[in-house]
Amino acid sequence: MTDKYAVIGNPIAHSKSPLIHQAFAKQTNQDISYQALLAPLDEFELTIKRLIDDGYKGVNVTVPFKLQAFLLSNHLTPFAQVARAANTLVLERNNIQGHNTDGIGFITDVTQNLNTPLQGVRILLLGAGGAAFGILQSLLENNPSFVIISNRTFSKANEAAKVLSNLIESSNRNTVCMAVPLDDLGDMEFDVIINSTSTGLSDAALPIPNVVFAKNSLAYEMMYGRETPFMAQARANGARVADGLGMLVEQAAQAFYIWRGVRPETTPVIAMLRNRN
Ligand code: ATR
């Protein structure tokens, strides 16, 4: 029997997840269906209950429901707990498992697809919203030498830095983590610069000094689909530049693995999506 899966969001029409999961299923001969579902803004929980009644085995969750998915879960992985968000649910009649695969997706894209180890490197994380919290646990597990978190609203950078510092302390790691105001980045340089802000949506430029882009650094824009001011600035300063399309496919691959126990090949799927643009 065909196992049913879906991605739930609002809006959802733009989602590439059905395309990605259908490609994974074909490639691995898994008998699944996967569709995009628009949930009314006040009916996330009801939608999930209906899907469980309909025999759905799992869902991906996107904007604006990741916090609600987290709150609805009976069991949460450490990744979801730190992120305070779930993007992948395993649905059973009396049990909802909440996972967050964004961090693993990010790390796999950076370390494997972009051949950039994170061990011992200097990381600048720009932004302190949901996208930043989604990768904190995974950053830590890769033992960078330090992580500076910078954000327009400094108190949120501080909050994220505190979460990361507590994780570092409780796991006996040596990474140093600090919040630094955007206009105090001064003469600091970094090996990996991550833009987790939503500035790319509005074409707003982030006020970061050019010096942050060290020689051979990687500038990672979590958004995909267009050249953002952050990417343009990084390129002009000689950094290697990546957008978030690889992360999108890798977080989906991790969700697919959680559901099906099979790891799909991501390279052809990333290439397929790039060719469609
Ligand atoms: P997401 O889930 O995409 O991370 P979010 O939680 O709303 O969305 O966070 C958006 C991030 O982008 C925040 O770090 C936000 O900065 P503030 O905390 O100061 O709001 C950042 N951001 C959005 N627009 C920005 C802009 N024009 N300049 C600088 N930072 C911006």
Side-chain angles (χ1 to χ4, degrees):
M1 207 177 78
T2 304
D3 287 337
K4 292 186 282 192
Y5 297 88
V7 58
I8 304 179
N10 188 332
I12 199 64
H14 65 283
S15 175
K16 295 189 192 303
S17 291
L19 208 58
I20 296 171
H21 281 278
Q22 284 154 12
F24 288 165
K26 196 168 169 203
Q27 184 203 107
T28 59
N29 286 319
Q30 292 285 307
D31 184 11
I32 69 163
S33 67
Y34 189 107
Q35 64 183 125
L37 286 179
L38 178 77
L41 288 174
D42 56 351
E43 284 186 14
F44 177 71
E45 188 170 345
L46 191 67
T47 305
I48 293 292
K49 297 233 153 92
R50 281 194 190 130
L51 293 179
I52 292 175
D53 287 344
D54 280 353
Y56 276 72
K57 297 276 195 271
V59 289
N60 285 131
V61 179
T62 186
V63 178
F65 299 125
K66 290 185 187 184
L67 173 62
Q68 286 181 62
F70 165 86
L71 295 171
L72 195 61
S73 299
N74 309 99
H75 289 98
L76 289 161
T77 63
F79 292 105
Q81 278 169 17
V82 173
R84 289 195 59 78
N87 75 339
T88 302
L89 301 180
V90 175
L91 303 178
E92 293 158 352
R93 185 133 290 280
N94 294 309
N95 188 39
I96 299 176
Q97 276 177 42
H99 298 253
N100 193 314
T101 64
D102 284 333
I104 293 173
F106 170 79
I107 297 293
T108 308
D109 195 35
V110 169
T111 58
Q112 292 180 24
N113 301 337
L114 301 165
N115 288 317
T116 307
L118 294 176
Q119 166 105 22
V121 309
R122 302 163 294 177
I123 296 179
L124 173 60
L125 176 57
L126 298 164
F133 273 81
I135 64 167
L136 290 182
Q137 172 78 24
S138 303
L139 284 181
L140 165 84
E141 291 183 2
N142 282 267
N143 296 315
S145 69
F146 62 81
V147 179
I148 299 296
I149 305 178
S150 232
N151 189 48
R152 178 176 60 181
T153 309
F154 182 68
S155 59
K156 281 170 70 183
N158 235 339
E159 201 184 309
K162 257 193 211 127
V163 167
L164 191 51
S165 297
N166 287 339
L167 289 170
I168 291 166
E169 207 176 297
S170 60
S171 57
N172 271 325
R173 292 174 195 266
N174 298 320
T175 302
V176 173
C177 174
M178 245 190 309
V180 173
L182 277 172
D183 48 11
D184 279 359
L185 286 170
D187 55 3
M188 303 174 86
E189 59 171 39
F190 299 88
D191 307 300
V192 176
I193 305 96
I194 307 159
N195 185 17
S196 79
T197 74
S198 48
T199 49
L201 289 173
S202 62
D203 262 348
L206 274 169
I208 50 170
N210 290 330
V211 69
V212 300
F213 301 100
K215 197 169 189 294
N216 298 322
S217 60
L218 172 69
Y220 196 98
E221 169 64 77
M222 279 200 190
M223 277 186 37
Y224 59 85
R226 62 205 297 249
E227 176 87 357
T228 65
F230 169 77
M231 292 165 82
Q233 183 182 5
R235 236 182 266 288
N237 284 281
R240 287 182 298 134
V241 176
D243 69 5
L245 189 73
M247 174 176 172
L248 174 77
V249 174
E250 296 296 347
Q251 64 76 29
Q254 182 64 20
F256 192 86
Y257 176 70
I258 289 167
W259 292 329
R260 310 300 302 176
V262 180
R263 285 201 186 279
E265 291 254 3
T266 50
T267 311
V269 180
I270 295 171
M272 180 260 290
L273 292 176
R274 289 234 182 266
N275 287 336
R276 285 171 62 92
N277 286 335

